[in-house]
Amino acid sequence: MLIRERYPTLGELQGKDFLSSAQITAEQTRELLELAADLKSGKLQIDLAGKTLGLIFSKASTRTRVSFSVAMARLGGQTLDLNPSVTQVGRGEPIADTARVLSEYLDVLAIRTFAQADLEKYAHWASIPVINALTDLEHPCQALADYQTLQENFGELKGLTLCYVGDGNNVAHSLMLCGALLGVNVRIGCPKGFEPDADVLKQASHIAAGKCLIEIVHDPETAAKGAHGLYTDVWASMGQEEEKEKREQSFDGWCLDQKLLDLAEPNAIVLHCLPAYRGLEISAELMESKASRIFDQAGNRLHAQQALLAALLGG
Ligand code: CP
Ligand code: NVA
């Protein structure tokens, strides 16, 4: 069966890029999560035999790299890891040339880089779908797995409240945009000066209008109150290593711990995109607690990205 017969709005994604959580519609996001769940349960199989995914990762990665490779293998396709240090990318070959050349060989590209503008440049020049595998601005593949995990635990996503405590970073941005599409209230708790990007906030609020709330608060307790999901990420993202110590001071008192979990809904779950620093942004106790779904969440990267690849490649 073709994807578009079962998931009508996913058919429109064939051949498209996925550069931002907000690049797809609410219905497409819901159908991607449904497809991810169907692939996970084994209800459905999709054949992408003969298709090749290329990975260009200019930053480190365990989960995204491995889950994309395994996702492609499970769908019958293959992956080439085009590490910039062993290709001409690392020696400065222009994106416009790399993107056009790789489009001659590959069927889809997943890119992890710094500037969103570089990702957009790849997408502009490539004639194949380009996927954002993390930039400084967004991590949309992560958000799909995160909401899949919330859905597994609560069923209906609409009306839930997800609290993210920590830095208003790429992960927070995609959670806000994807949450707004899905009707989830997203409450970001961060110290002053570490708020999400103002344009992303505006965009998420616009999507959320009349459906759910996107809020920024400046103390962790207010953020956690009544939440169904408590989420955090590192205080210093890749590329901010030099600010790590200074950031640790600014985030003092912002550790996601049992005290915050006690303020959330009784059945609240704990999420973290990983990698994590225990004792900084999250307590070791909470990471290993009964409420933690952190390793299910990492596992869902595989299923959410299989769904995404199948949609973009028209499986
Ligand atoms: N969460 C995440 O993207 O992990 P990696 O950096 O290991 O890919
Ligand atoms: N915000 C983190 C996420 C890592 C998966 C970073 O960009 O380093």
Side-chain angles (χ1 to χ4, degrees):
M1 175 197 301
L2 293 170
I3 285 191
R4 59 178 171 274
E5 289 169 11
R6 195 178 176 120
Y7 309 93
T9 68
L10 291 189
E12 300 151 17
L13 291 183
Q14 186 171 352
K16 299 274 168 61
D17 301 315
F18 186 58
L19 309 184
S20 161
S21 291
Q23 200 170 1
I24 62 175
T25 66
E27 198 45 42
Q28 285 164 344
T29 308
R30 273 191 288 273
E31 286 192 356
L32 271 182
L33 296 188
E34 227 177 280
L35 174 56
D38 286 347
L39 287 163
K40 183 173 180 175
S41 69
K43 206 158 126 189
L44 205 73
Q45 276 190 332
I46 288 170
D47 185 11
L48 293 184
K51 304 283 186 193
T52 306
L53 162 71
L55 303 179
I56 302 181
F57 281 25
S58 302
K59 292 175 174 173
S61 169
T62 299
R63 280 144 289 270
T64 311
R65 184 191 303 282
V66 178
S67 56
F68 261 118
S69 306
V70 176
M72 211 51 195
R74 292 218 181 157
L75 295 168
Q78 55 170 329
T79 303
L80 288 176
D81 195 346
L82 304 165
N83 188 329
S85 68
V86 298
T87 59
Q88 302 287 9
V89 171
R91 292 182 59 248
E93 183 166 7
I95 290 175
D97 296 354
T98 303
R100 279 178 289 180
V101 169
L102 292 178
S103 298
E104 298 288 324
Y105 312 136
L106 303 171
D107 300 284
V108 54
L109 257 178
I111 294 178
R112 171 168 286 203
T113 190
F114 294 86
Q116 184 79 8
D118 283 348
L119 175 79
E120 283 165 5
K121 208 184 270 181
Y122 272 107
H124 174 79
W125 288 102
S127 56
I128 56 175
V130 171
I131 298 172
N132 182 348
L134 182 148
T135 60
D136 292 346
L137 190 68
E138 276 204 54
H139 198 0
C141 297
Q142 179 69 53
L144 289 176
D146 300 341
Y147 285 109
Q148 186 186 349
T149 312
L150 264 182
Q151 192 161 44
E152 283 173 352
N153 282 271
F154 293 98
E156 178 64 40
L157 285 172
K158 232 179 244 169
L160 293 181
T161 297
L162 176 66
C163 155
Y164 171 100
V165 284
D167 185 28
N169 63 13
N170 45 8
V171 168
H173 291 159
S174 288
L175 285 173
M176 289 159 64
L177 294 169
C178 192
L181 286 168
L182 292 165
V184 175
N185 304 303
V186 182
R187 203 183 293 140
I188 307 287
C190 60
K192 287 212 164 96
F194 295 92
E195 293 85 1
D197 178 84
D199 289 338
V200 174
L201 175 60
K202 211 162 124 191
Q203 194 184 5
S205 304
H206 180 74
I207 298 169
K211 278 192 309 185
C212 55
L213 275 178
I214 308 295
E215 287 177 284
I216 312 289
V217 298
H218 289 109
D219 77 279
E221 287 80 17
T222 309
K225 221 168 267 174
H228 301 90
L230 290 179
Y231 195 124
T232 191
D233 181 20
V234 291
W235 294 332
S237 285
M238 289 180 276
Q240 298 175 328
E241 287 78 7
E242 281 176 14
E243 296 172 37
K244 191 165 181 284
E245 265 177 44
K246 207 164 151 243
R247 281 173 169 261
E248 281 174 21
Q249 288 163 19
S250 306
F251 282 91
D252 189 31
W254 282 87
C255 179
L256 180 56
D257 57 12
Q258 186 63 44
K259 179 173 72 24
L260 292 185
L261 181 60
D262 289 342
L263 294 170
E265 283 291 299
N267 56 348
I269 62 168
V270 173
L271 300 168
H272 191 308
C273 58
L274 298 175
Y277 289 95
R278 288 168 171 78
L280 292 181
E281 79 275 5
I282 188 165
S283 69
E285 182 195 11
L286 220 54
M287 272 209 68
E288 307 301 337
S289 70
K290 272 207 291 212
S292 170
R293 297 291 182 278
I294 292 171
F295 295 98
D296 294 343
Q297 179 189 2
N300 281 336
R301 299 291 305 277
L302 174 61
H303 309 293
Q305 284 157 200
Q306 273 191 65
L308 179 67
L309 288 165
L312 302 185
L313 292 172

